[in-house]
Amino acid sequence: MYTNFLPDEYVKNVFQIRPEKLVARGVKGIITDLDNTLVEWDRPGATAEIIEWLASMKEVGIQVMIVSNNNNARVKAFCDPLGIPFICEARKPLRKSFHKALETLAIQKEQAVFIGDQMMTDILGGNRAGLHTILVIPVASSDGFFTKFNRMMERRIMANLKRKGLLKWEE
Ligand SMILES: [Mg+2]
């Protein structure tokens, strides 16, 4: 079961995910987590870099959608100015929101990537939904209580995977 926590790819931040690479792989849509993946969990809006990154995806015809476990007020306030679709209170790692996102973007799971910063919600859920998963290093240095708990569990899972020789990337 541990292998379900393993991302297909591991990058420092979303900016290392380049549009031309995705296009070459036939990707038509990015489904992404919001908090600590695109911006810090306590930053209300997108940074200039994120706006530029989103524009670079749009330019090559890649749609972007946010799937977040956070509430409507937070996610809507972030997404509306950018004009991108979202699902809030997504209950990741449950599969339902991932399927709904694919439906919204009208793409197959093979044409999507999912980006997130947490193994227990983002990566586990994305893998179970059959998406190509990309783990990023969390943007923020401070976390809320539940995220702290998840990170403690993550460290245990990581240690376990390392012992089994399943971790291919460097920290
Ligand atoms: Mg997150």
Side-chain angles (χ1 to χ4, degrees):
M1 83 169 273
Y2 274 137
T3 54
N4 258 348
F5 290 105
L6 270 185
D8 294 301
E9 270 182 75
Y10 182 77
V11 295
K12 272 212 171 82
N13 53 52
V14 292
F15 308 115
Q16 293 191 334
I17 303 167
R18 304 308 311 158
E20 57 276 11
K21 263 195 169 173
L22 296 179
V23 168
R25 285 211 346 246
V27 171
K28 294 198 159 28
I30 293 173
I31 304 167
T32 177
D33 173 53
L34 170 56
D35 295 324
N36 293 346
T37 294
L38 297 184
V39 296
E40 297 90 337
W41 65 276
D42 54 354
R43 180 192 289 272
T47 59
E49 289 82 6
I50 286 293
I51 290 170
E52 201 179 298
W53 181 78
L54 291 169
S56 74
M57 294 300 170
K58 195 176 179 185
E59 218 167 90
V60 296
I62 293 176
Q63 311 177 76
V64 179
M65 176 162 182
I66 285 174
V67 171
S68 169
N69 283 357
N70 212 332
N71 62 47
N72 184 62
R74 158 49 165 171
V75 187
K76 188 175 165 58
F78 184 91
C79 291
D80 278 359
L82 302 169
I84 56 177
F86 66 89
I87 294 171
C88 57
E89 290 165 14
R91 302 180 70 195
K92 295 172 286 185
L94 297 185
R95 270 167 284 201
K96 196 174 169 192
S97 295
F98 294 94
H99 293 154
K100 210 173 135 195
L102 290 171
E103 235 171 75
T104 304
L105 298 179
I107 58 175
Q108 302 299 310
K109 60 178 190 286
E110 294 80 11
Q111 299 171 312
V113 295
F114 183 79
I115 310 168
D117 72 302
Q118 290 198 61
M119 294 172 95
M120 293 178 66
T121 52
D122 299 317
I123 302 306
L124 176 61
N127 282 341
R128 290 177 72 220
L131 302 178
H132 181 94
T133 49
I134 305 175
L135 183 68
V136 299
I137 296 173
V139 176
S141 48
S142 73
D143 282 322
F145 172 78
F146 286 106
T147 307
K148 263 190 194 134
F149 173 79
N150 279 350
R151 299 224 182 277
M152 184 191 78
M153 295 302 289
E154 268 174 18
R155 278 194 294 276
R156 285 188 189 179
I157 294 162
M158 293 260 212
N160 226 298
L161 290 167
K162 244 175 208 163
R163 223 175 302 133
K164 290 181 178 153
L166 286 168
L167 269 195
K168 298 276 181 273
W169 25 262
E170 294 293 315
E171 246 178 286

